[in-house]
Amino acid sequence: MKKIVIVLCFVLLLTTTLPFYTNAQNIENANVNEGEINFILDSPELSIYQYKKDDILYETHESVEKIDEKEIININVYRIDGENKSLVDNGTITISEITTDLIEVESENGETLFIDTSNPDVSLITPRAAYGGSYIADVRYRVFSNGAAEAIMSGQNPYYKNTKKNNSNFIRFQGHADGLKSKELDLATFGIASLADDIIKALKAGNLLSWTLIKKVVNGAIKIGPFGAALTLYQYGQDWLGARDYYRKI
């Protein structure tokens, strides 16, 4: 009788877990295109997702530990090379809900940022000028008729760099700068344009880009259709990081 019970329990366990496991494996083994995110698991306690950046496949694990009124997000970023997985970055972010509309974000180095989700929409006015890219994030570029080019990025030293328009690093910087501008228009459509600036401030403070944090911020700002808005905001952060990496290489 005990053997029958054990067998039935085992069958029940497989029945309840196998569909999810199979789905996760299918997602994990799926081809990931540049700019896409494939979620292996997405829950309040653990998020695992893959994305491709400059033809390199990465997998991020974010686990959430709740202590008192704070949520500690542990982030591990892995590089995937075939069947090999190597840790390339890791960090911790602590978030607290001060009020319903105010979130405190604390980085490992002790820097604190407050994100107000009560009025996340702003008017996006793009000045008419010869520069391409994003004026909101101040990630811009200019190309001259003689083949020269100029890259500009706020928060970097130096603030602007002179280069050539066919410089491979400038070309990639240019692509990310245009990506920022495009996603800002999408964020304005979602009504959360001001949150873009908050995410960049968090990245400048040394925080790793966190899907868990972005979900928290977006859920506090909008109640209908938050997933698409959060995804766009996360990709906005990826574009900013990409622009920063290539700006430094110019």
Side-chain angles (χ1 to χ4, degrees):
M1 184 65 181
K2 289 183 178 179
K3 290 183 179 179
I4 295 175
V5 173
I6 292 172
V7 170
L8 288 175
C9 290
F10 180 71
V11 171
L12 180 61
L13 179 64
L14 283 179
T15 304
T16 55
T17 60
L18 190 57
F20 167 76
Y21 177 77
T22 303
N23 183 53
Q25 288 296 100
N26 288 338
I27 294 174
E28 188 172 10
N29 294 328
N31 292 324
V32 184
N33 296 319
E34 198 90 14
E36 295 180 347
I37 302 176
N38 282 335
F39 290 93
I40 299 170
L41 175 63
D42 188 18
S43 73
E45 296 79 24
L46 177 64
S47 294
I48 303 174
Y49 52 94
Q50 294 181 338
Y51 56 91
K52 188 172 285 186
K53 185 177 179 181
D54 302 327
D55 296 324
I56 298 174
L57 182 63
Y58 294 94
E59 183 175 296
T60 297
H61 295 210
E62 299 188 21
S63 61
V64 180
E65 179 184 5
K66 294 187 177 181
I67 299 178
D68 296 328
E69 300 300 319
K70 297 185 176 182
E71 294 186 7
I72 301 173
I73 307 170
N74 297 298
I75 306 171
N76 291 309
V77 183
Y78 301 90
R79 175 173 175 166
I80 309 296
D81 186 8
E83 296 183 356
N84 298 320
K85 184 184 295 186
S86 55
L87 183 68
V88 294
D89 207 352
N90 67 308
T92 301
I93 300 173
T94 302
I95 59 177
S96 310
E97 286 191 48
I98 305 303
T99 65
T100 305
D101 301 320
L102 189 63
I103 297 173
E104 181 187 57
V105 184
E106 184 180 347
S107 62
E108 287 182 310
N109 58 17
E111 289 195 46
T112 301
L113 169 70
F114 292 94
I115 300 178
D116 186 352
T117 62
S118 61
N119 186 25
D121 198 13
V122 295
S123 176
L124 296 180
I125 301 175
T126 303
R128 298 181 62 183
Y131 288 92
S134 165
Y135 279 83
I136 306 302
D138 201 7
V139 179
R140 298 175 288 141
Y141 63 88
R142 183 164 56 168
V143 177
F144 301 94
S145 59
N146 63 356
E150 182 182 47
I152 296 174
M153 188 163 188
S154 175
Q156 301 303 300
N157 187 18
Y159 173 57
Y160 70 91
K161 290 184 177 181
N162 294 316
T163 183
K164 298 291 184 180
K165 69 176 183 180
N166 59 356
N167 179 295
S168 61
N169 292 318
F170 173 76
I171 293 172
R172 288 188 177 270
F173 169 83
Q174 186 179 12
H176 286 298
D178 287 337
L180 287 170
K181 181 178 179 180
S182 175
K183 290 178 180 64
E184 284 165 356
L185 297 175
D186 293 335
L187 292 172
T189 301
F190 282 116
I192 57 168
S194 70
L195 297 181
D197 187 51
D198 290 322
I199 294 303
I200 289 178
K201 287 178 181 177
L203 295 175
K204 286 181 177 179
N207 290 310
L208 293 178
L209 185 59
S210 168
W211 170 247
T212 306
L213 172 61
I214 286 177
K215 283 193 299 183
K216 188 89 171 176
V217 169
V218 171
N219 284 334
I222 59 177
K223 303 304 178 186
I224 300 176
F227 182 82
L231 198 59
T232 301
L233 191 57
Y234 183 91
Q235 292 168 333
Y236 185 83
Q238 286 281 27
D239 265 325
W240 187 88
L241 290 173
R244 184 196 64 182
D245 291 345
Y246 285 106
Y247 182 85
R248 291 174 175 177
K249 294 177 182 178
I250 295 175

